[in-house]
């Protein structure tokens, strides 16, 4: 069951990361998004960090409240 909490937290964190990037990058042109490798790496890693933190927090909450 811990795995289910981790997967749900991962997807939830990934979704929150996408929402963050949507608001953060709304004034950046498509050309910059496709051409600038720094933007790809920086914001791509931020989104994965949101996903990992979401997974970790979901597993921590599961262990605290359900075990």
């Amino acid at each position: 069951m811990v795995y289910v909490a981790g997967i749900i937290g991962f997807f939830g964190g990934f979704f929150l990361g996408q929402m963050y990037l949507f608001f953060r990058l709304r004034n950046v042109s498509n050309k910059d998004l496709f051409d600038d490798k720094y933007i790809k790496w920086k914001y791509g890693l931020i989104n994965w960090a949101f996903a990992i933190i979401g997974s970790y927090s979901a597993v921590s909450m599961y262990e605290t409240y359900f075990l």
Side-chain angles (χ1 to χ4, degrees), residues 2-53:
V2 170
Y3 296 112
V4 174
I7 291 170
I8 290 172
F10 184 83
F11 284 124
F14 201 83
F15 179 71
L16 287 174
Q18 288 293 310
M19 285 180 24
Y20 171 76
L21 292 179
F22 175 74
F23 290 113
R24 183 84 170 147
L25 296 174
R26 64 181 166 209
N27 294 325
V28 179
S29 69
N30 283 340
K31 183 177 181 341
D32 290 337
L33 288 175
F34 287 119
D35 293 338
D36 192 0
K37 295 214 184 279
Y38 175 73
I39 290 176
K40 286 182 186 179
W41 276 100
K42 178 182 176 186
Y43 291 110
L45 290 176
I46 287 173
N47 197 22
W48 284 104
F50 267 91
I52 291 169
I53 291 169

